[in-house]
Amino acid sequence: MAKSKNHTNHNQNKKAHRNGIKKPKSHRHPSLKGVDPKFLRNQRFAKRGTFLLKTKEQAAAKAAAAKTA
């Protein structure tokens, strides 16, 4: 009895290139699913703090510009 074929790569390259081999899409913000909840909670507070700091700085800059003008 003849041995049977175990593997072939015939036509696979052509099939792969018919629609083009595309890079995986990179997302703007990766999912935080499965991330440590303690870290996420702290991150939320940190983001809020930096946002408040930025708004205060912008308000101070506006006030300084208004004084000089």
Side-chain angles (χ1 to χ4, degrees), residues 1-46:
M1 191 175 190
K3 289 185 177 179
S4 59
K5 184 176 284 192
N6 290 323
H7 176 73
T8 181
N9 202 30
H10 180 69
N11 203 38
Q12 299 308 308
N13 215 25
K14 183 177 179 184
K15 279 168 40 177
H17 283 84
R18 277 176 72 105
N19 295 318
I21 296 178
K22 298 179 181 77
K23 288 184 179 179
K25 291 184 178 176
S26 62
H27 301 289
R28 187 172 194 161
H29 301 290
S31 171
L32 295 173
K33 184 178 176 184
V35 178
D36 181 30
K38 189 175 176 183
F39 170 76
L40 288 177
R41 186 173 157 83
N42 187 58
Q43 188 181 42
R44 200 167 68 230
F45 290 125

